Amino acid sequence: MTEIRLHNYSCRMVSEFHQLSEKISQLAELAHSLRRENADLRLGMAALTAENADLSSRIDEAYQRVAALLEKLPASDEQNEEAA
Protein backbone atom coordinates (compact mmCIF):
# COMPACT_ATOMS: atom_id res chain seq x y z
CA MET A 1 0.00 0.00 0.00
CA THR A 2 1.03 3.60 -0.39
CA GLU A 3 2.63 5.14 2.65
CA ILE A 4 0.68 8.07 4.01
CA ARG A 5 2.80 10.89 5.32
CA LEU A 6 0.73 12.41 8.05
CA HIS A 7 2.96 15.40 8.72
CA ASN A 8 1.55 17.13 5.60
CA TYR A 9 -2.04 16.86 6.87
CA SER A 10 -3.86 18.50 9.73
CA CYS A 11 -5.29 16.41 12.57
CA ARG A 12 -8.77 17.12 11.30
CA MET A 13 -7.95 15.83 7.83
CA VAL A 14 -6.39 12.69 9.32
CA SER A 15 -9.50 12.15 11.43
CA GLU A 16 -11.74 12.59 8.42
CA PHE A 17 -9.55 10.19 6.46
CA HIS A 18 -9.87 7.55 9.19
CA GLN A 19 -13.64 8.03 9.35
CA LEU A 20 -13.87 7.65 5.59
CA SER A 21 -11.66 4.57 5.73
CA GLU A 22 -13.92 3.03 8.40
CA LYS A 23 -17.03 3.79 6.35
CA ILE A 24 -15.46 2.19 3.29
CA SER A 25 -14.61 -0.90 5.35
CA GLN A 26 -18.18 -1.07 6.66
CA LEU A 27 -19.52 -0.70 3.12
CA ALA A 28 -17.26 -3.50 1.90
CA GLU A 29 -18.43 -5.77 4.75
CA LEU A 30 -22.06 -4.95 3.96
CA ALA A 31 -21.55 -5.69 0.26
CA HIS A 32 -19.92 -9.02 1.14
CA SER A 33 -22.76 -9.87 3.52
CA LEU A 34 -25.38 -9.00 0.91
CA ARG A 35 -23.62 -11.16 -1.68
CA ARG A 36 -23.69 -14.13 0.72
CA GLU A 37 -27.35 -13.50 1.52
CA ASN A 38 -28.17 -13.21 -2.19
CA ALA A 39 -26.43 -16.52 -2.90
CA ASP A 40 -28.34 -18.19 -0.05
CA LEU A 41 -31.62 -16.78 -1.34
CA ARG A 42 -30.87 -18.03 -4.86
CA LEU A 43 -30.21 -21.53 -3.49
CA GLY A 44 -33.43 -21.40 -1.49
CA MET A 45 -35.37 -20.20 -4.50
CA ALA A 46 -33.95 -23.01 -6.65
CA ALA A 47 -34.96 -25.58 -4.02
CA LEU A 48 -38.47 -24.13 -3.74
CA THR A 49 -38.83 -24.00 -7.52
CA ALA A 50 -37.90 -27.68 -7.74
CA GLU A 51 -40.31 -28.52 -4.92
CA ASN A 52 -43.06 -26.53 -6.65
CA ALA A 53 -42.49 -28.40 -9.91
CA ASP A 54 -42.64 -31.73 -8.05
CA LEU A 55 -45.87 -30.78 -6.27
CA SER A 56 -47.44 -29.57 -9.52
CA SER A 57 -46.57 -32.86 -11.15
CA ARG A 58 -48.09 -34.79 -8.25
CA ILE A 59 -51.27 -32.69 -8.45
CA ASP A 60 -51.54 -33.41 -12.19
CA GLU A 61 -51.09 -37.14 -11.56
CA ALA A 62 -53.75 -37.10 -8.83
CA TYR A 63 -56.12 -35.18 -11.12
CA GLN A 64 -55.63 -37.75 -13.88
CA ARG A 65 -56.26 -40.66 -11.47
CA VAL A 66 -59.45 -39.03 -10.15
CA ALA A 67 -60.64 -38.32 -13.72
CA ALA A 68 -59.98 -41.96 -14.68
CA LEU A 69 -61.92 -43.18 -11.63
CA LEU A 70 -64.84 -40.87 -12.43
CA GLU A 71 -65.02 -42.28 -15.94
CA LYS A 72 -65.30 -45.81 -14.51
CA LEU A 73 -68.23 -44.94 -12.24
CA PRO A 74 -71.63 -45.96 -13.52
CA ALA A 75 -73.89 -43.15 -14.61
CA SER A 76 -76.38 -41.90 -12.01
CA ASP A 77 -80.11 -42.65 -12.35
CA GLU A 78 -80.82 -39.09 -13.53
CA GLN A 79 -78.31 -39.41 -16.30
CA ASN A 80 -79.75 -42.79 -17.31
CA GLU A 81 -83.27 -41.30 -17.49
CA GLU A 82 -82.05 -38.33 -19.57
CA ALA A 83 -80.26 -40.67 -21.97
CA ALA A 84 -83.42 -42.81 -22.45
Side-chain angles (χ1 to χ4, degrees):
M1 294 185 101
T2 306
E3 180 183 329
I4 299 174
R5 298 178 187 214
L6 300 179
H7 65 278
N8 292 336
Y9 300 100
S10 69
C11 288
R12 182 174 176 202
M13 288 179 70
V14 171
S15 175
E16 288 175 357
F17 175 76
H18 286 298
Q19 288 175 355
L20 181 59
S21 177
E22 287 176 20
K23 287 181 181 182
I24 290 171
S25 293
Q26 290 172 355
L27 182 59
E29 288 175 24
L30 178 61
H32 184 69
S33 173
L34 290 173
R35 282 191 180 108
R36 274 195 319 264
E37 182 180 356
N38 191 22
D40 291 343
L41 289 171
R42 287 178 188 271
L43 286 175
M45 186 177 78
L48 290 173
T49 299
E51 182 181 2
N52 188 31
D54 179 55
L55 292 173
S56 291
S57 174
R58 291 171 62 188
I59 287 171
D60 286 342
E61 290 171 8
Y63 177 82
Q64 290 171 5
R65 286 194 308 266
V66 168
L69 287 173
L70 288 174
E71 287 179 11
K72 292 180 181 179
L73 289 176
S76 68
D77 289 338
E78 288 178 17
Q79 289 177 342
N80 288 337
E81 289 175 5
E82 289 175 8

